[in-house]
Each structure stands twice: as structure tokens, then as C-alpha cells.
Amino acid sequence: MSYIIAVANQKGGVGKTTTAVNLAASLSAMRRKVLLVDLDAQGNATMGVGVDKASLKVSARDVLVEAARAADAIQSLGELKFSLLPANSDMTEAEIKLRDQPAGDFALKTALADVADQFDYMILDCPPALSKLTLNALVAADGVLIPMQCEYYALEGLSALHDTIRKIRRVINPRLEIEGLLRTMFDPRNNLSNDVSAQLLLHFPDKVYRTVIPRNVRLAEAPSHGLPVMVYDAQSSGARAYLALAGEMLRRHDGGQLQLDS
Ligand code: ATP
Ligand code: MG
């Protein structure tokens, strides 16, 4: 069975895609079978692993609203050793069509169930909105990973997301947990970042990952090469941080037999 993690935050540019791509790569470096699912019309996760979003034969849109099989859309990524369910701007149409489908909130869950036996982890990269696509992700997921920039408005957005998660848990998916809050683009020299970080630890002591993702230029450069950071620059602080995050997650889930590929 696979464990499904939605990487979600309705706030834009907080590091969702960077986290989804690099967590997928890190878990796969730890010998887990991983599927990265792009649910965003921007197709950033798709491009970030080197797949041309303009030439997709079958995409997440077809799986969600045309009953295409997930297996037909999934691409294995060769040397990256994990798989991708890709997306592009067609997802905008999926978002609208899903609103009219009676079982529209369950489309992703149903599609992923068909391939669940092939993966240990599925990582869902959500768009920056509490939209039908994000809802689909939260219905399908076991856990939500919330990347956050430690800045003034971060906590405000968190409460809206928290309300949505609570509602989904009550009505549709009682399994759904907050997997963890991840501090991203962290700059320890910034007083505000430190204050917000301290607030997070105070209010959600069990939910904040101990791993902090630093601001690191290699993380911003890697997608333009179509590579996760641990392939682009394995020694960078960004690569080390995402490997540490995967390690922390595996320790929480299964006591983690951490076997790094050499
Ligand atoms: P959107 O809401 O648009 O989907 P997002 O939440 O997925 O955005 P990303 O695309 O991951 O956010 O990151 C936003 C920008 O910040 C990107 O240019 C990315 O390369 C850069 N970035 C993300 N994390 C870091 C980091 N730790 N250090 C430096 N740059 C980063
Ligand atoms: Mg994104």
C-alpha cells in the first residue's frame, strides 16, 4: 500500500513544488518507490524533473476528467529512479469539469488506487488555492505536508487551511492527518523568521518538522536544469536539508531503515 502525502498551502510561492520534487527524490534515494503527482496547471513539478509539459500524450487532466488510466499517464524518470504523473495548463479545464462531476472530489483517489500497489509513497504537488484540485488531493491523501515561509502572514493562511483539513476529515476523509509543517526558505539572520518559527513551535509542537529548509540558491537553480537538487548539487545545503526531511519522515513512519544509495 502506498502512503499519500499532499503538499499543500493555498499561499503561492512558499516552496510546495520545491518540496514535492525534492522530497520525492530524497525518498527515492532512500530506496522507497515514489510517484510524484503534479496537480498544478503551472506544471512546475513536471518541468522540475525534466519532462516537457508541452508534449504530454496523457496527463493528470485526462486521468481526472476523461477516465484515462493513471498507469497510462505515469512516466518513469529513468536515472531519477522515481515516477511522475505529469500536468500542464490543461489542468485549468479539469478544475472546472470536476465542479460538475457528482463524484468530482474522489476522482484522484479513485485513479491513484489503481497504482497504489506499485509505490511506497505518492507525493501530490497542489496548486496555490483551496480549489477542487487541492480538495481532490486532500480526499486522496493520508497526510498533508504544509510548507511555510516564516513571515508575517504565514500563520493567517494556516488557519484557513487547517479549517479545510478539519472539514474534510469530518465529512469525507477521517484518515487525513497533518503530516507536518515545514519551514522553508529559512534565513536564521532574519528576526521575523525566528519569531514566526518560535510561534509555530509553540502552537504546533508535535507538527513542526525539526528539519528546516534553508534559503539556498541551488534549490532555485535546479529546476531550470530539470533536476532535483540532490542530483544537481548533492553537496548543497538544500540537498542535505531535503534528505534530512525524508529521513525525519521515515523515522516517524516506520522507524526508517535508512539505506542511502551510494
Ligand atoms: P506556487 O504556489 O506558485 O506553486 P510553490 O509554493 O510551489 O509556488 P516553489 O515553486 O517551490 O513554490 O518556490 C517558489 C520560488 O522560490 C521558486 O522560484 C523556487 O525555485 C524558489 N525556492 C523555493 N524554495 C527555495 C529555497 N529553500 N531557497 C531558495 N529558493 C527557493
Ligand atoms: Mg508550485
Side-chain angles (χ1 to χ4, degrees):
M1 267 317 283
S2 19
Y3 191 84
I4 304 182
I5 298 174
V7 181
N9 188 334
Q10 74 275 23
K11 204 163 159 23
V14 295
K16 292 180 288 296
T17 301
T18 305
T19 298
V21 167
N22 291 302
L23 179 62
S26 299
L27 288 169
S28 118
M30 292 170 181
R31 305 255 165 93
R32 287 349 187 244
K33 288 179 276 174
V34 181
L35 175 67
L36 172 65
V37 179
D38 192 347
L39 292 174
D40 188 356
Q42 298 179 98
N44 290 346
T46 298
M47 291 186 294
V49 294
V51 171
D52 177 11
K53 66 177 177 177
S55 58
L56 302 177
K57 290 201 178 71
V58 187
S59 73
R61 171 221 172 257
D62 306 312
V63 171
L64 290 173
V65 297
E66 300 292 350
R69 292 171 50 224
D72 292 334
I74 290 171
Q75 305 190 15
S76 58
L77 298 172
E79 63 166 24
L80 294 186
K81 296 194 189 131
F82 58 98
S83 298
L84 170 75
L85 203 173
N88 58 22
S89 56
D90 291 351
M91 283 300 258
T92 314
E93 187 200 347
E95 166 73 33
I96 294 163
K97 283 195 166 171
L98 283 170
R99 289 184 206 151
D100 298 331
Q101 287 184 5
D105 296 345
F106 294 88
L108 182 67
K109 183 183 170 72
T110 309
L112 294 182
D114 280 345
V115 293
D117 57 345
Q118 294 169 38
F119 300 102
D120 300 316
Y121 282 91
M122 298 190 195
I123 310 293
L124 317 179
D125 183 31
C126 294
L130 288 175
S131 61
K132 273 284 172 198
L133 291 164
T134 298
L135 194 61
N136 259 268
L138 297 179
V139 169
D142 299 291
V144 194
L145 190 163
I146 308 174
M148 304 188 58
Q149 253 182 294
C150 290
E151 56 184 30
Y152 183 63
Y153 292 113
L155 293 166
E156 205 171 290
L158 187 60
S159 61
L161 182 57
H162 206 182
D163 286 349
T164 306
I165 291 168
R166 255 191 241 120
K167 230 176 272 166
I168 291 174
R169 198 187 285 145
R170 217 171 33 235
V171 183
I172 315 183
N173 179 7
R175 226 175 48 251
L176 187 65
E177 297 273 350
I178 294 189
E179 172 69 31
L181 303 174
L182 177 66
R183 292 164 285 174
T184 58
M185 298 183 227
F186 196 78
D187 177 0
R189 293 164 304 182
N190 180 320
N191 288 338
L192 180 60
S193 291
N194 286 312
D195 286 353
V196 174
S197 173
Q199 288 284 321
L200 278 177
L201 286 164
L202 185 70
H203 291 298
F204 308 97
D206 306 330
K207 291 295 178 192
V208 181
Y209 287 108
R210 271 28 194 182
T211 305
V212 175
I213 309 297
R215 187 170 282 284
N216 173 228
V217 70
R218 304 307 247 175
L219 279 168
E221 289 167 0
S224 65
H225 299 266
L227 293 171
V229 72
M230 48 287 303
V231 179
Y232 176 63
D233 183 353
Q235 301 307 318
S236 61
S237 62
R240 279 186 269 125
Y242 276 108
L243 282 167
L245 175 68
E248 184 175 352
M249 181 176 281
L250 293 181
R251 278 194 300 280
R252 281 197 197 177
H253 286 184
D254 54 21
Q257 286 86 47
L258 299 187
Q259 286 177 304
L260 269 172
D261 273 351
S262 53

